[in-house]
């Protein structure tokens, strides 16, 4: 017998809301977190807007000690620590600095790049022959697993503590890796999630590729337009999302709040074949990822009430919708509701899957569908496939039982997870 896996804690640091309450209110009301950033304009970016969480110095001290913050320069690790600690507390656990070691709990927390600003700082010091001024935390702030190293120590986890990295699929992949570990009895609890920094050094390459929107520098909140005919590229975002996964037995034993159940999912790759490339998806593999996730979850495609898509506001949005229609064998009015959180927060890259999973779970727990803002003009290629009524532009209250969440990343990698309302 495999363990059933449920979600007992959530944490989020997003451009439109830091903390679960603020984020929930923001996604219900369709509040955008996209703003203009003068620094991007000063550095010659075409896209001068983006989503950056607002965090005060006082707020940082609620999560990291003055010693930890000395010489600290990694927004990815900061966001991840905040979201992870919040999720752990939300699950009903305390955070202390005693010597207790929890062998039943672990974490898989992903990221794309870690401490790129710290890297820049280190490069200049080394070039100036000031190696000794790098500081004792330079390594841990810049290594890929810096986020899991910080969180693992703060929370005292003794099970697997690691970092994954699979471009925009990272967060959804981390969730599924943690899910498998609990399902197979190798852990009782896994803190899973992902984070992405708010550095122009991360965003610059995308600007150079001309895949980011440059048409809305004067109207930032209108810039991110998934599924819209007037979409002109994605808007960069940053932040972190975290979820506490737990065996149902453990959750019931301690009478924990259960947000939803993870039924199953799938991770695969298109191998950069049959139309897939480093930057484009292999449509056949995307469809297989979805259908295999449904099989793993032991449900039928007709049971899916809503989809939280990847949907980045690029030319690939129409292809993604086509892939969903083929995988589910559902179209027109028979298609599930679908939304993209990126309309409000932009594309948070490695953090996107985790933040969007938090939003997906909130929809199940509170029984609503959050709106697709900036999608009053559905792309005609999309409206030819599914009813525009399935792309709500205002929040709707709805009985939600099953939500499918998918992420598709550079390198032609895919992940899809199926969430379900927990029923005793």
């Amino acid at each position: 017998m495999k363990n059933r896996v449920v979600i007992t804690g959530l944490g989020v640091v997003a451009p439109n809301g830091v903390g679960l309450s603020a984020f929930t209110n923001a996604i219900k009301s369709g509040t955008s977190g996209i703003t203009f950033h003068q620094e991007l304009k000063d550095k010659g970016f075409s896209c001068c807007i983006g989503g950056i969480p607002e965090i005060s110095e006082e707020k940082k001290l609620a999560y990291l000690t003055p010693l930890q913050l000395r010489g600290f320069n990694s927004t990815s690790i900061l966001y991840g620590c905040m979201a992870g600690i919040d999720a752990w507390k939300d699950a009903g656990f305390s955070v202390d600095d005693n010597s207790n070691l929890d062998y039943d709990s672990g974490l898989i927390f992903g990221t794309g790049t870690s401490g790129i600003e710290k890297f820049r700082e280190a490069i200049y010091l080394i070039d100036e022959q000031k190696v000794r001024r790098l500081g004792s935390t330079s390594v841990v702030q810049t290594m890929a697993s810096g986020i899991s190293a910080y969180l693992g120590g703060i929370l005292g986890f003794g099970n697997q503590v690691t970092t994954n990295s699979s471009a925009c699929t990272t967060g959804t992949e981390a969730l599924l890796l943690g899910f498998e570990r609990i399902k197979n009895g190798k852990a009782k609890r896994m803190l899973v999630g992902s984070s992405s920094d708010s550095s122009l050094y991360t965003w610059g390459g995308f600007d150079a590729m001309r895949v980011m929107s440059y048409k809305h520098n004067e109207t930032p909140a209108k810039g991110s337009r998934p599924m819209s005919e007037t979409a002109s590229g994605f808007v960069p975002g940053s932040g972190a999302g975290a979820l506490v996964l737990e065996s149902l037995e453990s959750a019931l034993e301690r009478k924990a709040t259960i947000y939803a159940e993870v039924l199953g999912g799938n991770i695969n790759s298109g191998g950069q074949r049959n139309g897939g490339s480093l930057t484009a998806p292999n449509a056949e593999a995307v469809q297989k990822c979805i259908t295999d996730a449904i099989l793993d979850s032991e449900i039928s495609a007709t049971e899916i009430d809503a989809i939280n898509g990847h949907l980045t506001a690029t030319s690939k949005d129409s292809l993604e919708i086509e892939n969903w229609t083929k995988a589910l064998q559902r179209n027109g009015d028979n298609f599930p509701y679908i939304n993209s959180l990126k309309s409000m927060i932009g594309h948070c890259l490695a953090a996107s899957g985790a933040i969007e999973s938090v939003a997906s779970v909130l929809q199940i727990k509170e029984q609503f569908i959050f709106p697709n803002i900036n999608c009053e003009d559905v792309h005609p290629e999309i409206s030819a496939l599914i009813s525009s009524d399935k792309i709500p532009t205002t929040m709707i209250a709805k009985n939600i039982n099953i939500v499918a969440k998918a992420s598709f990343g550079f390198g032609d990698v895919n992940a899809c997870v199926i969430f379900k309302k927990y029923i005793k």
Side-chain angles (χ1 to χ4, degrees), residues 34-155:
I34 306 301
T35 54
F36 175 82
H37 298 284
Q38 184 65 40
E39 186 180 18
L40 295 175
K41 182 176 182 180
D42 292 344
K43 293 294 185 182
F45 277 60
S46 297
C47 176
C48 301
I49 60 176
I52 298 177
E54 292 186 12
I55 301 169
S56 66
E57 292 301 316
E58 182 182 14
K59 187 78 169 175
K60 293 178 186 178
L61 286 166
Y63 296 88
L64 299 176
T65 67
L67 181 60
Q68 288 171 321
L69 288 169
R70 186 181 299 167
F72 187 85
N73 197 7
S74 172
T75 51
S76 176
I77 292 175
L78 173 66
Y79 300 152
C81 285
M82 291 177 65
I85 290 169
D86 279 356
W88 193 241
K89 287 181 175 179
D90 186 53
F93 297 104
S94 62
V95 177
D96 55 46
D97 57 358
N98 64 23
S99 59
N100 289 340
L101 179 58
D102 183 358
Y103 285 109
D104 292 323
S105 300
L107 71 91
I108 300 174
F109 216 97
T111 190
T113 56
S114 182
I116 196 165
E117 299 285 352
K118 194 69 178 179
F119 256 124
R120 179 178 183 272
E121 185 182 302
I123 288 166
Y124 277 104
L125 286 171
I126 291 170
D127 286 348
E128 294 168 5
Q129 299 179 351
K130 297 176 180 177
V131 177
R132 294 182 186 278
R133 290 183 55 187
L134 286 176
S136 59
T137 63
S138 179
V139 172
V140 74
Q141 285 189 59
T142 56
M143 66 187 191
S145 57
I147 176 55
S148 57
Y150 269 84
L151 267 177
I154 291 169
L155 300 176

Side-chain angles (χ1 to χ4, degrees), residues 124 194 253 290 357 382 397 406:
Y124 277 104
S194 61
E253 185 179 301
I290 296 166
S357 288
I382 293 175

Side-chain angles (χ1 to χ4, degrees), residues 109-319:
F109 216 97
T111 190
T113 56
S114 182
I116 196 165
E117 299 285 352
K118 194 69 178 179
F119 256 124
R120 179 178 183 272
E121 185 182 302
I123 288 166
Y124 277 104
L125 286 171
I126 291 170
D127 286 348
E128 294 168 5
Q129 299 179 351
K130 297 176 180 177
V131 177
R132 294 182 186 278
R133 290 183 55 187
L134 286 176
S136 59
T137 63
S138 179
V139 172
V140 74
Q141 285 189 59
T142 56
M143 66 187 191
S145 57
I147 176 55
S148 57
Y150 269 84
L151 267 177
I154 291 169
L155 300 176
F157 289 167
N159 207 285
Q160 182 183 16
V161 171
T162 192
T163 293
N164 68 305
S165 187
S166 294
C168 309
T169 306
T170 298
T172 308
E173 180 185 76
L175 192 157
L176 287 168
L177 293 173
F179 163 75
E180 291 287 342
R181 193 161 182 84
I182 298 171
K183 186 175 76 169
N184 292 322
K186 294 186 176 181
K188 287 185 179 180
R189 293 166 293 273
M190 293 294 293
L191 174 62
V192 298
S194 61
S195 58
S196 187
D197 58 21
S198 53
S199 172
L200 53 86
Y201 300 102
T202 298
W203 296 350
F206 296 104
D207 197 78
M209 290 172 68
R210 310 292 286 179
V211 295
M212 298 203 306
S213 176
Y214 61 89
K215 295 184 177 180
H216 293 274
N217 291 336
E218 304 301 321
T219 53
K222 298 289 185 183
S224 187
R225 311 182 65 80
M227 296 184 283
S228 163
E229 184 177 11
T230 50
S232 57
F234 80 79
V235 174
S238 55
L243 306 91
V244 176
L245 306 185
E246 187 166 2
S247 71
L248 177 59
E249 181 182 15
S250 172
L252 292 176
E253 185 179 301
R254 63 185 193 86
K255 298 180 173 60
T257 296
I258 295 176
Y259 283 95
E261 183 172 1
V262 183
L263 290 184
N266 188 54
I267 304 166
N268 78 359
S269 171
Q272 300 175 42
R273 303 291 193 275
N274 302 326
S277 68
L278 272 170
T279 57
N282 173 342
E284 178 186 315
V286 168
Q287 293 166 36
K288 180 174 172 55
C289 183
I290 296 166
T291 55
D292 285 354
I294 291 169
L295 284 170
D296 185 62
S297 302
E298 298 182 349
I299 62 168
S300 69
T302 57
E303 294 180 81
I304 295 173
D305 299 304
I307 297 166
N308 181 236
H310 188 58
L311 298 168
T312 57
T314 64
S315 60
K316 299 299 180 184
D317 283 6
S318 300
L319 175 59

